Amino acid sequence: MSDNTADTTDFGYRQVPTGDKKPLVRAVFESVAPRYDLMNDLMSLGVHRVWKRIFVTALDPRPGRRLLDLAGGTGDISFAWLARGGGPAILSDINPAMLAVGRDRALQRGIAADLSLAVMDAEKLPVPDRSVNRVSIAFGLRNCTDKQAVLAEARRVLKPGGRFFCLEFSRVNVAALRPIYDAWSFSVLPRLGQRIAGDADSYRYLAESIRTFPDQATLAGMLETAGLSRVTVQNLSGGIAAIHGGWRL
Ligand SMILES: C[S@@+](CC[C@H](N)C(=O)[O-])C[C@H]1O[C@@H](n2cnc3c(N)ncnc32)[C@H](O)[C@@H]1O
């Protein structure tokens, strides 16, 4: 984990003034938005779909349950929640370019009922206290500046008995996987990014931001610090990704 101070924070491997991270992250996702879904499939060889399916199973969609999907981007989690019988979903993201792709995808799929879209900063949610049953964030927390604030906000908006789930890249815990994964992240990804999206730097940021993100145990501690209870961690694909969950009791 990087040693952030109040004045600086990580942006990939670079330390940048804290106030600079949001515009830098915004530029990354504005650049990748039109090719985001294609790149996800190529970069993960489709595995992100399996992880997301497991994640939505953990969210346990049921009619009448209200989901707030943070950093929801182009909508995968919200769409799967609705397709699997969940109640109303709010697809939120700080970046209008990512949400615009999400809106177009929703229209193409004929999803309208029970879906609302909103520009929101996950660190400061314009959402009432105790108003939703589930809060999700998939591959989003890594990109936020004040991660502890996101977790505190998630707890604040959950109803008692509600649950928070985070899907994020994590620390590989199978030694044999590490060299292959490192080569893939630092050689293949930036090249793919250059070829497909014309942007190697954004995909280099992706690989670096994964390495500076808190590991499984550290993130579990952060959920507890935010006041979430019964915190659980589920490793996926040898820890390449992990699902953290916690309850608001
Ligand atoms: C890697 S994408 C994940 C999108 C989607 N959840 C998925 O799994 O495909 C990360 C998203 O985080 C969003 N993001 C970054 N900082 C944010 C913040 N402070 N609040 C809300 N969203 C943010 C970006 O705009 C981007 O859409």
Side-chain angles (χ1 to χ4, degrees):
M1 208 182 143
S2 62
D3 54 342
N4 296 341
T5 68
D7 299 335
T8 67
T9 190
D10 55 281
F11 176 72
Y13 285 165
R14 282 159 57 199
Q15 285 289 306
V16 297
T18 302
D20 288 1
K21 177 159 172 167
K22 273 193 185 137
L24 286 165
V25 169
R26 186 187 175 103
V28 166
F29 287 102
E30 257 162 26
S31 163
V32 305
R35 296 278 169 138
Y36 177 77
D37 294 306
L38 172 66
M39 280 299 292
N40 265 353
D41 279 333
L42 292 175
M43 285 181 330
S44 73
L45 305 173
V47 175
H48 77 107
R49 292 172 183 255
V50 179
W51 294 338
K52 285 173 176 168
R53 207 170 306 134
I54 297 169
F55 183 64
V56 175
T57 300
L59 283 168
D60 193 13
R62 304 266 173 103
R65 279 188 182 157
R66 183 178 293 274
L67 169 73
L68 174 62
D69 183 21
L70 302 176
T74 60
D76 279 354
I77 303 305
S78 295
F79 299 167
W81 166 271
L82 291 171
R84 291 173 59 178
I90 306 165
L91 166 56
S92 72
D93 198 281
I94 201 170
N95 194 322
M98 291 290 282
L99 276 184
V101 177
R103 184 201 53 218
D104 292 347
R105 291 177 83 207
L107 289 173
Q108 276 160 16
R109 293 165 185 222
I111 305 171
D114 277 349
L115 178 70
S116 47
L117 282 82
V119 175
M120 280 186 207
D121 183 346
E123 294 170 33
K124 207 172 185 311
L125 295 173
V127 175
D129 294 359
R130 302 170 177 234
S131 56
V132 299
N133 308 94
R134 295 287 182 271
V135 174
S136 61
I137 184 163
F139 303 115
L141 192 56
R142 196 183 66 244
N143 298 295
C144 294
T145 308
D146 187 347
K147 297 166 184 61
Q148 198 64 59
V150 174
L151 300 174
E153 280 291 81
R155 182 188 178 278
R156 178 182 68 75
V157 302
L158 277 171
K159 294 181 182 179
R163 299 174 74 181
F164 166 79
F165 286 96
C166 169
L167 170 61
E168 191 48 271
F169 291 105
S170 203
R171 218 52 104 246
V172 173
N173 55 14
V174 177
L177 252 181
R178 272 191 211 118
I180 307 163
Y181 181 57
D182 282 346
W184 181 258
S185 311
F186 290 106
S187 302
V188 181
L189 285 195
R191 280 187 207 150
L192 260 180
Q194 184 59 46
R195 261 189 100 108
I196 310 291
D199 180 357
D201 288 347
S202 293
Y203 288 91
R204 198 165 296 115
Y205 159 73
L206 169 72
E208 292 179 1
S209 66
I210 291 169
R211 301 313 195 278
T212 54
F213 189 71
D215 64 17
Q216 285 86 338
T218 308
L219 182 57
M222 290 170 70
L223 264 67
E224 280 162 2
T225 301
L228 292 159
S229 306
R230 295 196 212 155
V231 171
T232 53
V233 183
Q234 180 182 1
N235 281 312
L236 303 171
S237 304
I240 292 179
I243 295 173
H244 283 71
W247 293 70
R248 174 173 186 164
L249 296 180

